[in-house]
Amino acid sequence: MTMNQPVPHDSSLDNSLTLLKEGYLFIGNRVDRYHSELFEARLLGKKVICMSGAEAAKVFYDPERFQRDGAAPKRVQKSLFGEKAIQTMDGEAHIHRKVLFMSLMTSTHQERLANLVMEQLQSSISKWAEADKIVLFHEVQKILCRVACDWAGVPLKESEVVQRAEDFSAMVDAFGAIGPRHWKGRRARNRAEEWIREVIEDVRSGKLETEKDSALYAIAFHSNLDGSKLNTQLAAVELINVLRPIVAIATFITFTALALKDHQEFKEKLQLGESNDLEMFVQEVRRYYPFGPFLGARARNNFVWKSYEFNKGQLVLLDMYGTNHDSRVWDNPNEFRPERFKDWDEDLFKFIPQGGGDPAKTHRCPGEGITIEVMKKSLDFLVNQIEFEVPNQDLSFNLDRMPTLPKSGFVMSSIRQK
Ligand code: HEM
């Protein structure tokens, strides 16, 4: 958009239903239609500014201009994040809480988690080999749930794994939903919070012992800026804020398997097991396939950007999916090409599958290192440690369902150790 052109207004009376219908493409479709990286729409009767692209991401992550307080709808807090969690904080208090999360995501933690995932994958081979077929998404969810709890110091009985894994997934599955899927996510959150509150109480009372470098210990004994501890409920919410997203890596692992099947040309290279090749492949999975659709924030003050007057309190949505497919940044964005990450400039705003900016200073996901390392190990496992067949199945995924996944969950058969 050039200066002084009016910002396009989407002509619909209300876009809420269209948003659900167009899903990941809602913002991008209008950015293309209006030839503008920002436009006004109405959602649930309220004016919302939708923005896309690296420049928009840069302004969205400017703490002088945007804040999170009041941005996340209650329904998302009650299912996905939990109420009053880090996602809703601003300023100094947010940075202080973020230090806690960043301390749990160091390269040592990343490596430990990735190795635990590899061990679990390897020890599943014999069981998978005996089965007629397995659904990768479900198997990996269970593995990640065991690993997340083990790593975090949260006791988990084998008999609980299926229910707990399903609950973590249901919270994520609820984010773009209305009706039963939303309510399922809320029930799952209530159950998980009740469980984790008890774990927090047990570790605080000394009934449960845990390593000092565990996520459970760090969160249970974390001090706020004023020296107080998190109340039990909030400590549970924040611990779930690391357990749930580890389980959610199952979505990216399932898309990784789909990418491998659809792009056999990369197999030979990946068989060498070189870290760089594995990394480029998983980065392209995170860019190409849909997971997070968009993010919300509110204008902190009145300001003008791209000749649009933002008023204090104005709600904005930043298009994550569209930014990762922006043809101004990515050549042939709708082609799967891992080599594009060979000379990647690591720009903090062009590639935002888990948010943008500096994770220590903004709301960008602190778990990207963990996600990438766990995905690399899983890719290496799929390519180099097992052989399998991919029977006929429906591997399509809908861009109008948020979050989405290949419909079959990726069925594998005739699994053998290599
Ligand atoms: C499955 C892959 C993942 C995806 C797609 C993902 C995506 C995201 C996104 C989009 C945000 C919000 C960024 C923003 O608000 O600006 C976020 C925040 C966050 N993520 Fe992740 N994430 C993933 C994995 C993880 C992992 C493995 C962890 C921890 C172990 C984690 C922990 C968090 C936390 C604590 C926040 C809140 C940060 C803040 O508000 O400052 N995520 N993630």
Side-chain angles (χ1 to χ4, degrees), residues 60-61 68 86-87 94 98 101 105 241-242 245-246 248-249 252 291 295 320 353-355 362-367 370-371:
F60 180 89
Y61 279 102
R68 297 306 174 90
I86 182 168
Q87 287 90 341
H94 171 247
K98 197 65 180 269
F101 282 94
M105 316 277 145
N241 248 333
V242 298
I246 293 175
I249 304 173
F252 274 151
F291 198 177
L295 291 161
M320 295 162 72
Q354 295 178 222
T362 71
H363 281 274
R364 188 188 187 120
C365 178
I370 287 177
T371 307

Side-chain angles (χ1 to χ4, degrees), residues 287-312:
R287 185 198 69 83
Y288 180 85
Y289 293 98
F291 198 177
F294 44 77
L295 291 161
R298 283 193 186 275
R300 194 180 148 99
N301 294 305
N302 296 343
F303 65 89
V304 177
W305 184 71
K306 298 264 169 186
S307 72
Y308 185 80
E309 284 178 28
F310 289 80
N311 292 321
K312 186 174 175 172

